[in-house]
Amino acid sequence: MIEPPAEAAQDAVYRWLKQHVLTLPRHEATFVTEAEVCRATGSSRTPVREALLRLESDGLLRIVPKKGAYVAAITEADVESVMQARGLVEDWCVRRAALLGEPLAAELDRLLSRQAELQQSPVTFIECDREFHRTIVRSAGNPILADFYESLRDRQLRMGLYAIAASEERTSIVLAEHAAIVEAIHSGDPERAAGSIAVHLTNTLLAMRLPIAAGWVRSAADTHGCRF
């Protein structure tokens, strides 16, 4: 049997661990240790350690010496604050973005089609969702706002996963709301674009306040059947 190269092992552990962290209960803080990840993935400590460092760089956890990797809880206050910040940034950015018209709309159409293909894969659906919004923010041409928006990324991913878990229909609703945003940008109407973003973010916040839909669990595809 040929051992996989170290880089391939690290990437596999990174993907598994990222999906595991993103699907942890939002309201619970927890520690993840190297030993636990090694047992769950069947990997040695070196790729696990490198994967944890990458996730720390992503902002999804914080490595605490002699304790493990700390994954913070997301409080209701965090949700409110992040969504308020998103509302302010995305309102300004989408108004500017609407003036770009067709070039931006074409890229958003591509992302929307990709997201529609991912409805059965919650983590990648949310990652694509984030890329959709990030594209709008970056297109506005303000690097300071774009960097600030990026600083919210870890919270957005976990919150977004919770939002779609709260309702079986949420992915379809998200796609319809994204389509409305794209159509407004197609039309070159800043007010309409801002209104579409406002509706989407308001509904997202409402979804985050709902309890998780009955029967929703982390999928085997996301966790490879492993839990710790």
Side-chain angles (χ1 to χ4, degrees):
M1 176 178 176
I2 299 174
E3 291 294 325
E7 184 176 358
Q10 180 197 129
D11 288 343
V13 174
Y14 170 79
R15 287 193 298 271
W16 184 91
L17 187 55
K18 180 177 182 179
Q19 291 173 331
H20 175 79
V21 168
L22 288 174
T23 53
L24 288 171
R26 192 182 80 189
H27 301 296
E28 298 177 15
T30 188
F31 275 95
V32 176
T33 68
E34 285 184 17
E36 290 171 331
V37 180
C38 287
R39 286 195 299 271
T41 61
S43 300
S44 64
R45 284 185 177 270
T46 297
V48 170
R49 188 173 297 119
E50 292 300 320
L52 287 169
L53 288 171
R54 286 172 66 182
L55 286 172
E56 183 176 47
S57 177
D58 289 344
L60 289 172
L61 51 79
R62 177 168 55 87
I63 296 175
V64 180
K66 299 182 180 180
K67 287 190 175 182
Y70 179 69
V71 182
I74 298 176
T75 67
E76 294 301 325
D78 289 334
V79 171
E80 295 287 341
S81 296
V82 168
M83 294 306 294
Q84 287 170 3
R86 284 189 63 184
L88 292 170
V89 172
E90 294 191 46
D91 177 85
W92 188 87
C93 289
V94 81
R95 290 173 186 273
R96 301 268 297 190
L99 301 177
L100 299 175
E102 287 300 321
L104 174 61
E107 174 61 13
L108 294 176
D109 272 330
R110 183 189 68 79
L111 289 170
L112 187 57
S113 295
R114 171 65 176 151
Q115 194 173 19
E117 298 170 354
L118 298 171
Q119 292 184 74
Q120 302 306 313
S121 181
V123 171
T124 48
F125 181 90
I126 290 302
E127 288 176 333
C128 190
D129 182 280
R130 178 170 164 261
E131 186 62 26
F132 179 93
H133 288 271
R134 173 201 276 158
T135 298
I136 293 172
V137 170
R138 286 180 173 175
S139 71
N142 186 317
I144 293 177
L145 281 181
D147 286 347
F148 170 72
Y149 194 80
E150 282 298 298
S151 73
L152 305 175
R153 61 186 178 180
D154 57 320
R155 296 178 179 87
Q156 286 190 55
L157 287 170
R158 288 180 69 196
M159 289 178 187
L161 189 63
Y162 185 96
I164 65 169
S167 168
E168 293 181 357
E169 296 80 29
R170 184 59 192 160
T171 55
S172 297
I173 294 170
V174 167
L175 292 172
E177 291 171 351
H178 280 187
I181 294 167
V182 176
E183 182 57 34
I185 292 173
H186 266 298
S187 72
D189 185 339
E191 288 297 328
R192 182 180 169 190
S196 297
I197 280 280
V199 168
H200 177 52
L201 295 183
T202 296
N203 289 340
T204 298
L205 178 57
L206 291 174
M208 289 178 184
R209 290 171 173 163
L210 295 173
I212 289 287
W216 187 88
V217 296
R218 286 182 284 166
S219 71
D222 287 338
T223 62
H224 300 272
C226 300
R227 291 174 181 266
F228 59 83

